[in-house]
Amino acid sequence: MEYTIQELSRLSGVTTRALRWYDEIGLLKPAEVTPAGYRFYDDRAMAALQQILFYRELGVPLEQIGRILSAPDHDRA
């Protein structure tokens, strides 16, 4: 399934501004960015966002979350 940034924001409760920031810092990349700059997210991005929100709830800083999610031994399932 594919989600616009608005849909992902509504479903997750994360603001579109935060989603853009996550993209800018490389934490959550959209599956596609159109030439007009529209961001589209897939199910894999949705699962990654759920993990980000889990770690945020635990108080883990974004920089550390990025390291956790990009670790070779991190389970992406």
Side-chain angles (χ1 to χ4, degrees), residues 5-72:
I5 195 169
Q6 301 289 26
E7 291 168 329
L8 189 63
S9 173
R10 183 178 43 78
L11 289 169
S12 67
V14 176
T15 65
T16 58
R17 183 176 180 181
L19 292 171
R20 286 184 188 93
W21 176 247
Y22 291 171
D23 180 15
E24 188 174 322
I25 64 173
L27 189 60
L28 181 69
K29 289 294 190 183
E32 177 187 358
V33 179
T34 69
Y38 292 103
R39 292 169 172 86
F40 290 93
Y41 297 86
D42 57 11
D43 289 330
R44 186 175 184 179
M46 175 67 90
L49 181 57
Q50 288 175 333
Q51 291 181 343
I52 292 166
L53 294 175
F54 170 76
Y55 288 118
R56 290 296 292 157
E57 188 67 25
L58 294 175
V60 178
L62 290 177
E63 184 178 311
Q64 189 174 354
I65 294 171
R67 287 194 305 268
I68 292 168
L69 297 181
S70 64

